[in-house]
Amino acid sequence: MNSAAREELIDTIDQLDDHQAHLVQQVAAQIHGSLNVSDTYDLITQCTDAQLRQIRNIVQSMLRPIAEFIDPNSNLIGSAFSAEFKARLQAHHGTHTTPLDRLAFENALAASCIAEGMTVEMAPSKTTRFWDLRVDGEQFSAKSTSARDIKPHELHISKLSEAAWIQDCRSARMRYERTMGLFEEFLDAVQRWIVLRAFRLKNDPTMQVYELVEIPMSLFATVDQLNVQDFSSDAPRIDIHDDYGMALQLCLDRSDSKITIKKIPKDRCIVHGTWGLEV
């Protein structure tokens, strides 16, 4: 890439908003292997042509329009969170054809909360059970899904937790007690459950849509109403209702030794934000 093209790239970066430009600086420094993220021009002049192509793809992605709707009552997304999260989505699709995975979502969520002025701590390790980051003292579980069978009006958590003990439980009493114990630990560990849902529009496959949805922990607490008889099957699928209707379906999956949650009504959840961008 000649000097004129490099100058043009610098000029284009100058058109970005602060969150986008700072993210481009971080990416450029990471690509170049530098700890200096303060001087975009210096980084650009030192990058190879292959590295510059990656940066240019990200910048061009950031210049494409992105549709956004934020719940005005959201207690998570403010203007700084929104700007940072949009920049993260755009940067991702500058170099990827697939949606954000779980790790990329965790990083985007953490960065967006920090941008909003919140205090963020990541979980001590990737194997920490149940929660992924602590935000202003509350422990968040962060999940992402881009499953092909995403339902417009229901949420599905393919793995709430691994549960190898399912294979060894041969009685309803054992399944009940182990499940109740697991949910007691889960509800003690997690204060907020955030899911990023990614899907393509059926009438426009070029449009990538993201929904940031919070599942109220009160829905998980309905598991407490179950009794031993509900676990009589070797692989129970239990519909749980409360005073407002369907809360969730609890499934003990023997084939994969995990707890799965299905049929969570989206209208009982909080859709904090929705983004749509052409990819």
Side-chain angles (χ1 to χ4, degrees):
M1 186 178 290
N2 60 38
S3 58
R6 290 172 188 261
E7 291 288 351
E8 183 181 354
L9 179 56
I10 291 289
D11 290 342
T12 306
I13 292 172
D14 288 340
Q15 300 173 31
L16 303 177
D17 67 33
D18 290 345
H19 291 269
Q20 292 173 322
H22 182 64
L23 186 54
V24 170
Q25 288 176 326
Q26 290 179 315
V27 171
Q30 184 178 26
I31 290 174
H32 185 260
S34 171
L35 297 177
N36 177 24
V37 297
S38 61
D39 191 337
T40 305
Y41 183 83
D42 186 55
L43 286 169
I44 294 297
T45 58
Q46 294 181 57
C47 284
T48 66
D49 283 357
Q51 292 169 336
L52 288 172
R53 280 194 291 272
Q54 292 187 58
I55 297 168
R56 185 173 58 188
N57 288 341
I58 290 170
V59 172
Q60 289 174 342
S61 178
M62 287 179 166
L63 292 173
R64 290 198 291 268
I66 179 169
E68 177 186 58
F69 174 78
I70 303 300
D71 181 351
N73 298 314
S74 173
N75 62 0
L76 179 64
I77 301 180
S79 58
F81 183 111
S82 166
E84 181 68 25
F85 200 75
K86 281 193 296 186
R88 296 267 167 170
L89 293 177
Q90 291 171 312
H92 175 82
H93 284 286
T95 55
H96 295 75
T97 58
T98 56
L100 264 71
D101 60 16
R102 185 178 66 85
L103 181 58
F105 169 50
E106 286 178 22
N107 291 334
L109 179 61
S112 301
C113 289
I114 291 170
E116 191 64 31
M118 304 175 193
T119 301
V120 176
E121 305 168 66
M122 303 306 290
S125 76
K126 296 303 178 185
T127 58
T128 298
R129 201 172 190 200
F130 297 128
W131 66 278
D132 303 294
L133 63 161
R134 186 181 290 121
V135 180
D136 284 349
E138 292 186 306
Q139 291 177 173
F140 282 40
S141 179
K143 300 289 185 185
S144 66
T145 178
S146 56
R148 291 186 177 183
D149 59 348
I150 286 179
K151 293 180 172 59
H153 306 299
E154 288 183 1
L155 275 72
H156 175 170
I157 300 168
S158 62
K159 186 173 73 173
L160 176 76
S161 173
E162 293 181 351
W165 47 264
I166 293 175
Q167 299 290 346
D168 300 322
C169 290
R170 299 302 178 187
S171 70
R173 170 65 62 180
M174 291 177 66
R175 284 187 286 273
Y176 168 74
E177 290 178 350
R178 294 301 296 265
T179 302
M180 293 300 103
L182 182 145
F183 270 88
E184 183 177 357
E185 291 179 37
F186 167 66
L187 291 170
D188 282 344
V190 178
Q191 284 77 58
R192 299 183 73 168
W193 185 284
I194 309 292
V195 180
L196 184 69
R197 300 186 351 138
F199 54 91
R200 299 289 183 98
L201 294 180
K202 290 184 178 179
N203 60 350
D204 185 2
T206 66
M207 181 64 69
Q208 177 70 61
V209 177
Y210 289 94
E211 288 180 339
L212 191 65
V213 184
E214 180 169 358
I215 304 172
M217 296 304 295
S218 59
L219 296 184
F220 296 109
T222 57
V223 173
D224 187 55
Q225 68 185 255
L226 299 178
N227 55 52
V228 175
Q229 289 71 31
D230 293 313
F231 293 84
S232 57
S233 167
D234 285 346
R237 292 174 175 263
I238 309 167
D239 288 345
I240 304 176
H241 297 77
D242 61 15
D243 293 341
Y244 301 97
M246 183 70 174
L248 56 84
Q249 182 186 75
L250 170 66
C251 306
L252 273 60
D253 188 336
R254 287 182 60 86
S255 61
D256 290 329
S257 298
K258 64 182 181 180
I259 302 289
T260 296
I261 305 292
K262 299 182 177 181
K263 298 184 179 181
I264 301 172
K266 196 172 79 171
D267 62 6
R268 299 196 62 182
C269 300
I270 303 164
V271 182
H272 286 285
T274 303
W275 298 266
L277 62 163
E278 290 188 7
V279 294

